[in-house]
Amino acid sequence: QLEAQGAAMLVAHISGWKWAEGVTFGGETLAFNEENVRKVLKKAWIRKQVDDATTDEASFFEGSPTS
């Protein structure tokens, strides 16, 4: 159940995608929808990249004005 919650959080962080010309996933260019996001996130190397990006607080706050 914890893994399912983690996957749901990663899905929520992805707001869209654009495939480069000629790039496919499993032989097809996937439309952006929750089902396809979950399909792509089943690849550990993709999931890790998304997870790393969403937990990078330094990048999130980079450029933020300080008080």
Side-chain angles (χ1 to χ4, degrees), residues 26-63:
E28 59 184 317
T29 302
L30 300 176
F32 177 73
N33 58 47
E34 184 176 343
E35 178 183 355
N36 286 338
V37 172
R38 289 182 181 281
K39 184 186 296 186
V40 168
L41 288 174
K42 286 181 181 178
K43 296 289 186 186
W45 65 273
I46 296 174
R47 185 180 178 130
K48 182 178 180 344
Q49 287 184 40
V50 174
D51 187 49
D52 288 351
T54 60
T55 57
D56 183 359
E57 290 182 19
S59 289
F60 181 79
F61 291 107
E62 187 175 287

PDB file of all heavy atoms in Angstrom, residues 26-63:
ATOM      1  N   GLY A  26       7.742   1.326 -25.865  1.00  0.00           N
ATOM      2  CA  GLY A  26       7.139   0.046 -26.225  1.00  0.00           C
ATOM      3  C   GLY A  26       6.587   0.051 -27.636  1.00  0.00           C
ATOM      4  O   GLY A  26       5.605  -0.630 -27.927  1.00  0.00           O
ATOM      5  N   GLY A  27       7.188   0.858 -28.514  1.00  0.00           N
ATOM      6  CA  GLY A  27       6.763   0.891 -29.905  1.00  0.00           C
ATOM      7  C   GLY A  27       5.648   1.867 -30.217  1.00  0.00           C
ATOM      8  O   GLY A  27       5.190   1.950 -31.347  1.00  0.00           O
ATOM      9  N   GLU A  28       5.205   2.642 -29.227  1.00  0.00           N
ATOM     10  CA  GLU A  28       4.143   3.606 -29.480  1.00  0.00           C
ATOM     11  C   GLU A  28       4.415   4.922 -28.771  1.00  0.00           C
ATOM     12  O   GLU A  28       5.106   4.971 -27.763  1.00  0.00           O
ATOM     13  CB  GLU A  28       2.773   3.048 -29.056  1.00  0.00           C
ATOM     14  CG  GLU A  28       2.672   2.678 -27.594  1.00  0.00           C
ATOM     15  CD  GLU A  28       1.343   2.049 -27.231  1.00  0.00           C
ATOM     16  OE1 GLU A  28       0.290   2.533 -27.686  1.00  0.00           O
ATOM     17  OE2 GLU A  28       1.371   1.072 -26.483  1.00  0.00           O
ATOM     18  N   THR A  29       3.894   5.996 -29.327  1.00  0.00           N
ATOM     19  CA  THR A  29       3.956   7.300 -28.687  1.00  0.00           C
ATOM     20  C   THR A  29       2.712   7.404 -27.814  1.00  0.00           C
ATOM     21  O   THR A  29       1.597   7.412 -28.319  1.00  0.00           O
ATOM     22  CB  THR A  29       3.981   8.429 -29.736  1.00  0.00           C
ATOM     23  OG1 THR A  29       5.115   8.230 -30.582  1.00  0.00           O
ATOM     24  CG2 THR A  29       4.095   9.779 -29.074  1.00  0.00           C
ATOM     25  N   LEU A  30       2.929   7.447 -26.521  1.00  0.00           N
ATOM     26  CA  LEU A  30       1.808   7.396 -25.585  1.00  0.00           C
ATOM     27  C   LEU A  30       1.167   8.761 -25.382  1.00  0.00           C
ATOM     28  O   LEU A  30       1.863   9.758 -25.174  1.00  0.00           O
ATOM     29  CB  LEU A  30       2.287   6.871 -24.232  1.00  0.00           C
ATOM     30  CG  LEU A  30       2.903   5.474 -24.216  1.00  0.00           C
ATOM     31  CD1 LEU A  30       3.412   5.145 -22.824  1.00  0.00           C
ATOM     32  CD2 LEU A  30       1.894   4.442 -24.673  1.00  0.00           C
ATOM     33  N   ALA A  31      -0.154   8.780 -25.408  1.00  0.00           N
ATOM     34  CA  ALA A  31      -0.888   9.989 -25.047  1.00  0.00           C
ATOM     35  C   ALA A  31      -0.699  10.221 -23.554  1.00  0.00           C
ATOM     36  O   ALA A  31      -0.465   9.277 -22.790  1.00  0.00           O
ATOM     37  CB  ALA A  31      -2.375   9.808 -25.359  1.00  0.00           C
ATOM     38  N   PHE A  32      -0.797  11.481 -23.134  1.00  0.00           N
ATOM     39  CA  PHE A  32      -0.655  11.779 -21.713  1.00  0.00           C
ATOM     40  C   PHE A  32      -1.980  11.531 -21.008  1.00  0.00           C
ATOM     41  O   PHE A  32      -2.978  12.206 -21.246  1.00  0.00           O
ATOM     42  CB  PHE A  32      -0.209  13.234 -21.489  1.00  0.00           C
ATOM     43  CG  PHE A  32      -0.118  13.574 -20.041  1.00  0.00           C
ATOM     44  CD1 PHE A  32       0.924  13.071 -19.279  1.00  0.00           C
ATOM     45  CD2 PHE A  32      -1.074  14.352 -19.431  1.00  0.00           C
ATOM     46  CE1 PHE A  32       1.010  13.354 -17.919  1.00  0.00           C
ATOM     47  CE2 PHE A  32      -0.998  14.648 -18.082  1.00  0.00           C
ATOM     48  CZ  PHE A  32       0.050  14.146 -17.328  1.00  0.00           C
ATOM     49  N   ASN A  33      -1.987  10.529 -20.155  1.00  0.00           N
ATOM     50  CA  ASN A  33      -3.124  10.255 -19.281  1.00  0.00           C
ATOM     51  C   ASN A  33      -2.609   9.424 -18.105  1.00  0.00           C
ATOM     52  O   ASN A  33      -1.474   8.930 -18.125  1.00  0.00           O
ATOM     53  CB  ASN A  33      -4.278   9.553 -20.022  1.00  0.00           C
ATOM     54  CG  ASN A  33      -3.862   8.250 -20.660  1.00  0.00           C
ATOM     55  OD1 ASN A  33      -3.202   7.416 -20.043  1.00  0.00           O
ATOM     56  ND2 ASN A  33      -4.244   8.057 -21.918  1.00  0.00           N
ATOM     57  N   GLU A  34      -3.407   9.299 -17.071  1.00  0.00           N
ATOM     58  CA  GLU A  34      -2.953   8.624 -15.854  1.00  0.00           C
ATOM     59  C   GLU A  34      -2.521   7.185 -16.117  1.00  0.00           C
ATOM     60  O   GLU A  34      -1.495   6.727 -15.586  1.00  0.00           O
ATOM     61  CB  GLU A  34      -4.046   8.646 -14.786  1.00  0.00           C
ATOM     62  CG  GLU A  34      -3.583   8.045 -13.476  1.00  0.00           C
ATOM     63  CD  GLU A  34      -4.607   8.137 -12.366  1.00  0.00           C
ATOM     64  OE1 GLU A  34      -5.565   8.924 -12.459  1.00  0.00           O
ATOM     65  OE2 GLU A  34      -4.438   7.392 -11.377  1.00  0.00           O
ATOM     66  N   GLU A  35      -3.255   6.476 -16.934  1.00  0.00           N
ATOM     67  CA  GLU A  35      -2.902   5.086 -17.231  1.00  0.00           C
ATOM     68  C   GLU A  35      -1.508   4.985 -17.855  1.00  0.00           C
ATOM     69  O   GLU A  35      -0.697   4.151 -17.458  1.00  0.00           O
ATOM     70  CB  GLU A  35      -3.935   4.482 -18.179  1.00  0.00           C
ATOM     71  CG  GLU A  35      -3.634   3.058 -18.596  1.00  0.00           C
ATOM     72  CD  GLU A  35      -4.630   2.501 -19.607  1.00  0.00           C
ATOM     73  OE1 GLU A  35      -5.623   3.167 -19.935  1.00  0.00           O
ATOM     74  OE2 GLU A  35      -4.375   1.374 -20.071  1.00  0.00           O
ATOM     75  N   ASN A  36      -1.215   5.861 -18.811  1.00  0.00           N
ATOM     76  CA  ASN A  36       0.082   5.814 -19.471  1.00  0.00           C
ATOM     77  C   ASN A  36       1.209   6.312 -18.573  1.00  0.00           C
ATOM     78  O   ASN A  36       2.330   5.815 -18.645  1.00  0.00           O
ATOM     79  CB  ASN A  36       0.046   6.590 -20.786  1.00  0.00           C
ATOM     80  CG  ASN A  36      -0.717   5.839 -21.857  1.00  0.00           C
ATOM     81  OD1 ASN A  36      -0.869   4.621 -21.791  1.00  0.00           O
ATOM     82  ND2 ASN A  36      -1.211   6.561 -22.839  1.00  0.00           N
ATOM     83  N   VAL A  37       0.916   7.280 -17.709  1.00  0.00           N
ATOM     84  CA  VAL A  37       1.931   7.720 -16.750  1.00  0.00           C
ATOM     85  C   VAL A  37       2.305   6.555 -15.845  1.00  0.00           C
ATOM     86  O   VAL A  37       3.484   6.288 -15.604  1.00  0.00           O
ATOM     87  CB  VAL A  37       1.433   8.927 -15.921  1.00  0.00           C
ATOM     88  CG1 VAL A  37       2.407   9.241 -14.799  1.00  0.00           C
ATOM     89  CG2 VAL A  37       1.253  10.149 -16.816  1.00  0.00           C
ATOM     90  N   ARG A  38       1.312   5.835 -15.367  1.00  0.00           N
ATOM     91  CA  ARG A  38       1.587   4.667 -14.512  1.00  0.00           C
ATOM     92  C   ARG A  38       2.385   3.607 -15.275  1.00  0.00           C
ATOM     93  O   ARG A  38       3.284   2.980 -14.724  1.00  0.00           O
ATOM     94  CB  ARG A  38       0.293   4.090 -13.962  1.00  0.00           C
ATOM     95  CG  ARG A  38      -0.355   4.970 -12.920  1.00  0.00           C
ATOM     96  CD  ARG A  38      -1.622   4.350 -12.339  1.00  0.00           C
ATOM     97  NE  ARG A  38      -2.230   5.221 -11.367  1.00  0.00           N
ATOM     98  CZ  ARG A  38      -1.824   5.357 -10.102  1.00  0.00           C
ATOM     99  NH1 ARG A  38      -0.819   4.648  -9.667  1.00  0.00           N
ATOM    100  NH2 ARG A  38      -2.442   6.182  -9.283  1.00  0.00           N
ATOM    101  N   LYS A  39       2.076   3.436 -16.537  1.00  0.00           N
ATOM    102  CA  LYS A  39       2.796   2.463 -17.369  1.00  0.00           C
ATOM    103  C   LYS A  39       4.271   2.850 -17.485  1.00  0.00           C
ATOM    104  O   LYS A  39       5.156   2.013 -17.314  1.00  0.00           O
ATOM    105  CB  LYS A  39       2.151   2.405 -18.767  1.00  0.00           C
ATOM    106  CG  LYS A  39       2.752   1.358 -19.675  1.00  0.00           C
ATOM    107  CD  LYS A  39       2.184   1.426 -21.086  1.00  0.00           C
ATOM    108  CE  LYS A  39       0.713   1.109 -21.137  1.00  0.00           C
ATOM    109  NZ  LYS A  39       0.194   1.028 -22.520  1.00  0.00           N
ATOM    110  N   VAL A  40       4.533   4.119 -17.755  1.00  0.00           N
ATOM    111  CA  VAL A  40       5.905   4.590 -17.901  1.00  0.00           C
ATOM    112  C   VAL A  40       6.649   4.501 -16.563  1.00  0.00           C
ATOM    113  O   VAL A  40       7.823   4.125 -16.521  1.00  0.00           O
ATOM    114  CB  VAL A  40       5.906   6.038 -18.456  1.00  0.00           C
ATOM    115  CG1 VAL A  40       7.275   6.667 -18.357  1.00  0.00           C
ATOM    116  CG2 VAL A  40       5.405   6.050 -19.899  1.00  0.00           C
ATOM    117  N   LEU A  41       5.966   4.809 -15.467  1.00  0.00           N
ATOM    118  CA  LEU A  41       6.609   4.779 -14.151  1.00  0.00           C
ATOM    119  C   LEU A  41       6.937   3.365 -13.676  1.00  0.00           C
ATOM    120  O   LEU A  41       7.656   3.201 -12.689  1.00  0.00           O
ATOM    121  CB  LEU A  41       5.744   5.493 -13.109  1.00  0.00           C
ATOM    122  CG  LEU A  41       5.690   7.013 -13.235  1.00  0.00           C
ATOM    123  CD1 LEU A  41       4.694   7.598 -12.241  1.00  0.00           C
ATOM    124  CD2 LEU A  41       7.060   7.632 -13.064  1.00  0.00           C
ATOM    125  N   LYS A  42       6.462   2.357 -14.368  1.00  0.00           N
ATOM    126  CA  LYS A  42       6.835   0.981 -14.015  1.00  0.00           C
ATOM    127  C   LYS A  42       8.299   0.706 -14.343  1.00  0.00           C
ATOM    128  O   LYS A  42       8.896  -0.219 -13.792  1.00  0.00           O
ATOM    129  CB  LYS A  42       5.939  -0.021 -14.741  1.00  0.00           C
ATOM    130  CG  LYS A  42       4.542  -0.076 -14.166  1.00  0.00           C
ATOM    131  CD  LYS A  42       3.685  -1.096 -14.876  1.00  0.00           C
ATOM    132  CE  LYS A  42       2.281  -1.095 -14.286  1.00  0.00           C
ATOM    133  NZ  LYS A  42       1.410  -2.032 -14.985  1.00  0.00           N
ATOM    134  N   LYS A  43       8.881   1.520 -15.221  1.00  0.00           N
ATOM    135  CA  LYS A  43      10.309   1.402 -15.517  1.00  0.00           C
ATOM    136  C   LYS A  43      11.070   2.053 -14.371  1.00  0.00           C
ATOM    137  O   LYS A  43      10.918   3.260 -14.116  1.00  0.00           O
ATOM    138  CB  LYS A  43      10.666   2.083 -16.837  1.00  0.00           C
ATOM    139  CG  LYS A  43      10.021   1.448 -18.045  1.00  0.00           C
ATOM    140  CD  LYS A  43      10.652   0.106 -18.306  1.00  0.00           C
ATOM    141  CE  LYS A  43      10.134  -0.504 -19.593  1.00  0.00           C
ATOM    142  NZ  LYS A  43      10.622  -1.843 -19.798  1.00  0.00           N
ATOM    143  N   ALA A  44      11.874   1.274 -13.672  1.00  0.00           N
ATOM    144  CA  ALA A  44      12.564   1.763 -12.468  1.00  0.00           C
ATOM    145  C   ALA A  44      13.419   2.991 -12.750  1.00  0.00           C
ATOM    146  O   ALA A  44      13.454   3.919 -11.934  1.00  0.00           O
ATOM    147  CB  ALA A  44      13.407   0.646 -11.868  1.00  0.00           C
ATOM    148  N   TRP A  45      14.098   3.037 -13.893  1.00  0.00           N
ATOM    149  CA  TRP A  45      14.991   4.165 -14.163  1.00  0.00           C
ATOM    150  C   TRP A  45      14.219   5.454 -14.397  1.00  0.00           C
ATOM    151  O   TRP A  45      14.683   6.534 -14.048  1.00  0.00           O
ATOM    152  CB  TRP A  45      15.931   3.853 -15.328  1.00  0.00           C
ATOM    153  CG  TRP A  45      15.278   3.654 -16.660  1.00  0.00           C
ATOM    154  CD1 TRP A  45      14.766   2.498 -17.165  1.00  0.00           C
ATOM    155  CD2 TRP A  45      15.072   4.657 -17.657  1.00  0.00           C
ATOM    156  NE1 TRP A  45      14.252   2.708 -18.417  1.00  0.00           N
ATOM    157  CE2 TRP A  45      14.430   4.029 -18.744  1.00  0.00           C
ATOM    158  CE3 TRP A  45      15.372   6.006 -17.740  1.00  0.00           C
ATOM    159  CZ2 TRP A  45      14.078   4.718 -19.904  1.00  0.00           C
ATOM    160  CZ3 TRP A  45      15.021   6.690 -18.902  1.00  0.00           C
ATOM    161  CH2 TRP A  45      14.386   6.040 -19.958  1.00  0.00           C
ATOM    162  N   ILE A  46      13.014   5.353 -14.956  1.00  0.00           N
ATOM    163  CA  ILE A  46      12.185   6.547 -15.152  1.00  0.00           C
ATOM    164  C   ILE A  46      11.609   6.985 -13.807  1.00  0.00           C
ATOM    165  O   ILE A  46      11.629   8.169 -13.457  1.00  0.00           O
ATOM    166  CB  ILE A  46      11.061   6.281 -16.169  1.00  0.00           C
ATOM    167  CG1 ILE A  46      11.662   5.989 -17.549  1.00  0.00           C
ATOM    168  CG2 ILE A  46      10.095   7.464 -16.231  1.00  0.00           C
ATOM    169  CD1 ILE A  46      10.658   5.565 -18.597  1.00  0.00           C
ATOM    170  N   ARG A  47      11.102   6.015 -13.063  1.00  0.00           N
ATOM    171  CA  ARG A  47      10.528   6.318 -11.752  1.00  0.00           C
ATOM    172  C   ARG A  47      11.557   7.008 -10.852  1.00  0.00           C
ATOM    173  O   ARG A  47      11.248   7.979 -10.166  1.00  0.00           O
ATOM    174  CB  ARG A  47      10.011   5.033 -11.106  1.00  0.00           C
ATOM    175  CG  ARG A  47       9.303   5.265  -9.803  1.00  0.00           C
ATOM    176  CD  ARG A  47       8.823   3.936  -9.238  1.00  0.00           C
ATOM    177  NE  ARG A  47       8.178   4.165  -7.972  1.00  0.00           N
ATOM    178  CZ  ARG A  47       6.998   3.704  -7.644  1.00  0.00           C
ATOM    179  NH1 ARG A  47       6.326   2.954  -8.485  1.00  0.00           N
ATOM    180  NH2 ARG A  47       6.478   3.961  -6.472  1.00  0.00           N
ATOM    181  N   LYS A  48      12.793   6.522 -10.892  1.00  0.00           N
ATOM    182  CA  LYS A  48      13.847   7.119 -10.064  1.00  0.00           C
ATOM    183  C   LYS A  48      14.107   8.567 -10.464  1.00  0.00           C
ATOM    184  O   LYS A  48      14.265   9.433  -9.604  1.00  0.00           O
ATOM    185  CB  LYS A  48      15.137   6.311 -10.162  1.00  0.00           C
ATOM    186  CG  LYS A  48      16.242   6.881  -9.285  1.00  0.00           C
ATOM    187  CD  LYS A  48      17.487   6.056  -9.342  1.00  0.00           C
ATOM    188  CE  LYS A  48      18.631   6.573  -8.501  1.00  0.00           C
ATOM    189  NZ  LYS A  48      18.624   7.900  -8.015  1.00  0.00           N
ATOM    190  N   GLN A  49      14.129   8.841 -11.752  1.00  0.00           N
ATOM    191  CA  GLN A  49      14.354  10.216 -12.203  1.00  0.00           C
ATOM    192  C   GLN A  49      13.247  11.148 -11.738  1.00  0.00           C
ATOM    193  O   GLN A  49      13.508  12.265 -11.287  1.00  0.00           O
ATOM    194  CB  GLN A  49      14.458  10.266 -13.725  1.00  0.00           C
ATOM    195  CG  GLN A  49      15.746   9.701 -14.260  1.00  0.00           C
ATOM    196  CD  GLN A  49      15.859   9.866 -15.752  1.00  0.00           C
ATOM    197  OE1 GLN A  49      15.494  10.890 -16.321  1.00  0.00           O
ATOM    198  NE2 GLN A  49      16.367   8.837 -16.410  1.00  0.00           N
ATOM    199  N   VAL A  50      12.013  10.692 -11.849  1.00  0.00           N
ATOM    200  CA  VAL A  50      10.883  11.514 -11.406  1.00  0.00           C
ATOM    201  C   VAL A  50      10.947  11.707  -9.893  1.00  0.00           C
ATOM    202  O   VAL A  50      10.779  12.823  -9.392  1.00  0.00           O
ATOM    203  CB  VAL A  50       9.536  10.884 -11.828  1.00  0.00           C
ATOM    204  CG1 VAL A  50       8.358  11.649 -11.239  1.00  0.00           C
ATOM    205  CG2 VAL A  50       9.430  10.832 -13.348  1.00  0.00           C
ATOM    206  N   ASP A  51      11.224  10.635  -9.174  1.00  0.00           N
ATOM    207  CA  ASP A  51      11.318  10.723  -7.719  1.00  0.00           C
ATOM    208  C   ASP A  51      12.436  11.672  -7.307  1.00  0.00           C
ATOM    209  O   ASP A  51      12.250  12.524  -6.431  1.00  0.00           O
ATOM    210  CB  ASP A  51      11.537   9.331  -7.121  1.00  0.00           C
ATOM    211  CG  ASP A  51      11.476   9.341  -5.610  1.00  0.00           C
ATOM    212  OD1 ASP A  51      10.518   9.915  -5.048  1.00  0.00           O
ATOM    213  OD2 ASP A  51      12.389   8.774  -4.985  1.00  0.00           O
ATOM    214  N   ASP A  52      13.596  11.555  -7.932  1.00  0.00           N
ATOM    215  CA  ASP A  52      14.721  12.439  -7.612  1.00  0.00           C
ATOM    216  C   ASP A  52      14.354  13.900  -7.870  1.00  0.00           C
ATOM    217  O   ASP A  52      14.676  14.781  -7.070  1.00  0.00           O
ATOM    218  CB  ASP A  52      15.961  12.065  -8.413  1.00  0.00           C
ATOM    219  CG  ASP A  52      16.612  10.768  -7.962  1.00  0.00           C
ATOM    220  OD1 ASP A  52      16.216  10.226  -6.902  1.00  0.00           O
ATOM    221  OD2 ASP A  52      17.501  10.280  -8.688  1.00  0.00           O
ATOM    222  N   ALA A  53      13.701  14.159  -8.984  1.00  0.00           N
ATOM    223  CA  ALA A  53      13.336  15.536  -9.337  1.00  0.00           C
ATOM    224  C   ALA A  53      12.309  16.112  -8.366  1.00  0.00           C
ATOM    225  O   ALA A  53      12.373  17.291  -8.018  1.00  0.00           O
ATOM    226  CB  ALA A  53      12.801  15.576 -10.763  1.00  0.00           C
ATOM    227  N   THR A  54      11.383  15.286  -7.912  1.00  0.00           N
ATOM    228  CA  THR A  54      10.332  15.802  -7.033  1.00  0.00           C
ATOM    229  C   THR A  54      10.788  15.959  -5.593  1.00  0.00           C
ATOM    230  O   THR A  54      10.119  16.629  -4.816  1.00  0.00           O
ATOM    231  CB  THR A  54       9.072  14.913  -7.073  1.00  0.00           C
ATOM    232  OG1 THR A  54       9.416  13.598  -6.637  1.00  0.00           O
ATOM    233  CG2 THR A  54       8.465  14.850  -8.456  1.00  0.00           C
ATOM    234  N   THR A  55      11.908  15.348  -5.244  1.00  0.00           N
ATOM    235  CA  THR A  55      12.394  15.476  -3.872  1.00  0.00           C
ATOM    236  C   THR A  55      13.619  16.384  -3.775  1.00  0.00           C
ATOM    237  O   THR A  55      14.229  16.483  -2.719  1.00  0.00           O
ATOM    238  CB  THR A  55      12.740  14.092  -3.274  1.00  0.00           C
ATOM    239  OG1 THR A  55      13.701  13.445  -4.102  1.00  0.00           O
ATOM    240  CG2 THR A  55      11.496  13.232  -3.153  1.00  0.00           C
ATOM    241  N   ASP A  56      13.954  17.066  -4.846  1.00  0.00           N
ATOM    242  CA  ASP A  56      15.104  17.969  -4.870  1.00  0.00           C
ATOM    243  C   ASP A  56      14.680  19.347  -4.364  1.00  0.00           C
ATOM    244  O   ASP A  56      14.322  20.229  -5.141  1.00  0.00           O
ATOM    245  CB  ASP A  56      15.662  18.047  -6.289  1.00  0.00           C
ATOM    246  CG  ASP A  56      16.912  18.903  -6.384  1.00  0.00           C
ATOM    247  OD1 ASP A  56      17.354  19.463  -5.354  1.00  0.00           O
ATOM    248  OD2 ASP A  56      17.446  19.017  -7.498  1.00  0.00           O
ATOM    249  N   GLU A  57      14.701  19.522  -3.059  1.00  0.00           N
ATOM    250  CA  GLU A  57      14.246  20.778  -2.450  1.00  0.00           C
ATOM    251  C   GLU A  57      15.084  21.968  -2.902  1.00  0.00           C
ATOM    252  O   GLU A  57      14.553  23.069  -3.072  1.00  0.00           O
ATOM    253  CB  GLU A  57      14.267  20.670  -0.932  1.00  0.00           C
ATOM    254  CG  GLU A  57      13.208  19.757  -0.384  1.00  0.00           C
ATOM    255  CD  GLU A  57      13.210  19.712   1.137  1.00  0.00           C
ATOM    256  OE1 GLU A  57      13.768  20.624   1.771  1.00  0.00           O
ATOM    257  OE2 GLU A  57      12.652  18.756   1.683  1.00  0.00           O
ATOM    258  N   ALA A  58      16.365  21.776  -3.080  1.00  0.00           N
ATOM    259  CA  ALA A  58      17.230  22.885  -3.479  1.00  0.00           C
ATOM    260  C   ALA A  58      16.777  23.478  -4.813  1.00  0.00           C
ATOM    261  O   ALA A  58      16.698  24.689  -4.969  1.00  0.00           O
ATOM    262  CB  ALA A  58      18.671  22.424  -3.564  1.00  0.00           C
ATOM    263  N   SER A  59      16.448  22.614  -5.768  1.00  0.00           N
ATOM    264  CA  SER A  59      15.979  23.113  -7.069  1.00  0.00           C
ATOM    265  C   SER A  59      14.598  23.751  -6.949  1.00  0.00           C
ATOM    266  O   SER A  59      14.300  24.735  -7.627  1.00  0.00           O
ATOM    267  CB  SER A  59      15.912  21.975  -8.083  1.00  0.00           C
ATOM    268  OG  SER A  59      17.197  21.582  -8.445  1.00  0.00           O
ATOM    269  N   PHE A  60      13.783  23.191  -6.087  1.00  0.00           N
ATOM    270  CA  PHE A  60      12.435  23.725  -5.904  1.00  0.00           C
ATOM    271  C   PHE A  60      12.489  25.165  -5.410  1.00  0.00           C
ATOM    272  O   PHE A  60      11.741  26.024  -5.858  1.00  0.00           O
ATOM    273  CB  PHE A  60      11.632  22.849  -4.949  1.00  0.00           C
ATOM    274  CG  PHE A  60      10.230  23.324  -4.720  1.00  0.00           C
ATOM    275  CD1 PHE A  60       9.245  23.069  -5.648  1.00  0.00           C
ATOM    276  CD2 PHE A  60       9.900  24.051  -3.593  1.00  0.00           C
ATOM    277  CE1 PHE A  60       7.941  23.515  -5.451  1.00  0.00           C
ATOM    278  CE2 PHE A  60       8.608  24.493  -3.375  1.00  0.00           C
ATOM    279  CZ  PHE A  60       7.630  24.230  -4.318  1.00  0.00           C
ATOM    280  N   PHE A  61      13.378  25.410  -4.454  1.00  0.00           N
ATOM    281  CA  PHE A  61      13.472  26.727  -3.850  1.00  0.00           C
ATOM    282  C   PHE A  61      14.484  27.650  -4.525  1.00  0.00           C
ATOM    283  O   PHE A  61      14.613  28.807  -4.160  1.00  0.00           O
ATOM    284  CB  PHE A  61      13.796  26.602  -2.357  1.00  0.00           C
ATOM    285  CG  PHE A  61      12.660  26.031  -1.562  1.00  0.00           C
ATOM    286  CD1 PHE A  61      12.712  24.731  -1.079  1.00  0.00           C
ATOM    287  CD2 PHE A  61      11.514  26.783  -1.323  1.00  0.00           C
ATOM    288  CE1 PHE A  61      11.654  24.201  -0.355  1.00  0.00           C
ATOM    289  CE2 PHE A  61      10.458  26.254  -0.611  1.00  0.00           C
ATOM    290  CZ  PHE A  61      10.528  24.966  -0.116  1.00  0.00           C
ATOM    291  N   GLU A  62      15.185  27.139  -5.523  1.00  0.00           N
ATOM    292  CA  GLU A  62      16.172  27.950  -6.240  1.00  0.00           C
ATOM    293  C   GLU A  62      15.513  29.164  -6.860  1.00  0.00           C
ATOM    294  O   GLU A  62      14.487  29.063  -7.510  1.00  0.00           O
ATOM    295  CB  GLU A  62      16.821  27.091  -7.330  1.00  0.00           C
ATOM    296  CG  GLU A  62      17.977  27.780  -8.026  1.00  0.00           C
ATOM    297  CD  GLU A  62      18.637  26.832  -9.000  1.00  0.00           C
ATOM    298  OE1 GLU A  62      19.339  25.913  -8.538  1.00  0.00           O
ATOM    299  OE2 GLU A  62      18.421  27.016 -10.211  1.00  0.00           O
ATOM    300  N   GLY A  63      16.090  30.297  -6.620  1.00  0.00           N
ATOM    301  CA  GLY A  63      15.547  31.517  -7.202  1.00  0.00           C
ATOM    302  C   GLY A  63      14.420  32.125  -6.401  1.00  0.00           C
ATOM    303  O   GLY A  63      13.899  33.184  -6.764  1.00  0.00           O
TER     304      GLY A  63
END
